[in-house]
Amino acid sequence: MISNLIALTKAVENEMVLADYFLMFFLLAPFVVITLFFAFYVIEIIYLRNFKKPLFVFANVIFRKLNDEQKAVLVANFHFYNELKPKYKRYFEHRVYKFIFNYEFVGSDFTVTEEMKITIGGTYTMLTFGMRHYLNPMFKKILLFPDIYYSEQTQNYHKGEFNPRLEAIIFSWKHFEEGIEVANDNLNLGLHEFTHAFHIHSLKSEETSAVLFNESLQNLFRVVSHPQMKEKLVASGFLRDYAYENQFEFVAVLLEYFFESPQEFKTQFPSIFLKVKQMINYNENYYKKKIID
């Protein structure tokens, strides 16, 4: 009888010890997770500032897939997509799917088709492909007009704009489509407006992709503010005049030229080209089928 009581007492004590361990685990787990997250963030920022790139970009376990008709739109419109290795095409398709899923598409006086959504999503994905945090919280919808539209906010006519107040990117579909169809005129409305949105986001966010964009951008401004470089850039006539309206337009135009005239850009202004490349963590040698020199 006494031995049974002793055994029961030990069992209760063991259960209490086990319960204490579980309680300790649940109390400490959130602090451990927060500490690990903060440590990773600090390590990555140090790595980013030394090597001008994040520790990693792609970490998908589950991939969202596009159907054959949707993939055909990418094939027809994006040389960038066609050059990707098969593995990275999956990432590209996944991000286009996530873009379409996360943002609302609204047509003003006309119907937004699936092809339009894929084309807009492909443009955005091309711009942000080197970024781990690629979805932008600064806007929630894509508003499309058939042609040039009148903006109540600016009291003027526009082909496109990023409107933070409406949390919207607004496009004239006619001019967005022209930017896709003519791939080497350095006029790409989609790239231009999406760059504005990400530029503003980078000023407000502590995400790694935003930090990289903003710090590389500040380095870029230091390069182009040098009198000799500034004089050379303006005298060359390489960038269209609109680039010199302000810093935001300068950055947006640079990204248009970066994707549409990369070889000429790299040849004429290699130091500027490198800074733009670092801003968006563009690494063609890593994910493309062939190296572009």
Side-chain angles (χ1 to χ4, degrees), residues 84-97:
L84 293 175
K85 299 173 185 175
K87 172 183 176 180
Y88 293 100
K89 283 186 176 180
R90 292 178 66 201
Y91 288 119
F92 194 96
E93 293 160 16
H94 171 82
R95 290 187 172 198
V96 171
Y97 180 101

Side-chain angles (χ1 to χ4, degrees), residues 66 69-71 73-74 77-78 92-93 95-107 110-125 141-144 171 173 176-177 180 194:
L66 302 180
E69 290 78 12
Q70 292 170 323
K71 290 180 186 178
V73 175
L74 296 180
N77 291 288
F78 295 98
F92 194 96
E93 293 160 16
R95 290 187 172 198
V96 171
Y97 180 101
K98 294 288 286 185
F99 180 87
I100 294 172
F101 180 81
N102 279 276
Y103 298 109
E104 178 187 6
F105 290 79
V106 180
F110 81 126
T111 302
V112 180
T113 67
E114 189 68 14
E115 182 177 355
M116 292 177 183
K117 293 180 182 180
I118 294 294
T119 307
I120 294 170
T123 301
Y124 181 86
T125 301
K141 63 183 176 182
I142 308 294
L143 179 57
L144 297 174
F171 295 122
W173 176 249
F176 185 100
E177 195 171 29
I180 298 295
F194 283 136

Side-chain angles (χ1 to χ4, degrees), residues 52 86 94 106 129 172 273:
K52 307 304 179 187
H94 171 82
V106 180
F129 198 61
S172 153
F273 183 87

Side-chain angles (χ1 to χ4, degrees), residues 21-166:
Y21 278 123
F22 275 116
L23 179 61
M24 186 180 299
F25 172 79
F26 285 117
L27 289 175
L28 293 179
F31 296 101
V32 172
V33 171
I34 292 171
T35 301
L36 290 174
F37 178 82
F38 180 74
F40 174 80
Y41 177 78
V42 171
I43 290 170
E44 185 167 45
I45 289 297
I46 294 171
Y47 181 87
L48 180 149
R49 286 172 175 161
N50 281 278
F51 298 100
K52 307 304 179 187
K53 61 182 180 179
L55 282 171
F56 67 93
V57 174
F58 305 104
N60 296 64
V61 176
I62 299 174
F63 286 87
R64 299 295 185 178
K65 297 181 179 179
L66 302 180
N67 60 40
D68 290 341
E69 290 78 12
Q70 292 170 323
K71 290 180 186 178
V73 175
L74 296 180
V75 170
N77 291 288
F78 295 98
H79 182 63
F80 181 97
Y81 169 79
N82 293 326
E83 285 189 326
L84 293 175
K85 299 173 185 175
K87 172 183 176 180
Y88 293 100
K89 283 186 176 180
R90 292 178 66 201
Y91 288 119
F92 194 96
E93 293 160 16
H94 171 82
R95 290 187 172 198
V96 171
Y97 180 101
K98 294 288 286 185
F99 180 87
I100 294 172
F101 180 81
N102 279 276
Y103 298 109
E104 178 187 6
F105 290 79
V106 180
S108 179
D109 301 324
F110 81 126
T111 302
V112 180
T113 67
E114 189 68 14
E115 182 177 355
M116 292 177 183
K117 293 180 182 180
I118 294 294
T119 307
I120 294 170
T123 301
Y124 181 86
T125 301
M126 181 173 67
L127 174 67
T128 60
F129 198 61
M131 304 176 189
R132 184 164 76 243
H133 305 101
Y134 59 93
L135 295 175
N136 192 333
M138 296 292 292
F139 63 94
K140 292 182 170 61
K141 63 183 176 182
I142 308 294
L143 179 57
L144 297 174
F145 289 86
D147 205 334
I148 290 176
Y149 61 91
Y150 183 76
S151 171
E152 295 291 344
Q153 181 173 340
T154 64
Q155 303 290 299
N156 209 339
Y157 287 92
H158 291 275
K159 297 176 182 177
E161 63 181 297
F162 166 50
N163 191 317
R165 184 175 62 84
L166 296 179

Side-chain angles (χ1 to χ4, degrees), residues 4 86 139 271:
N4 290 339
F139 63 94
S271 59

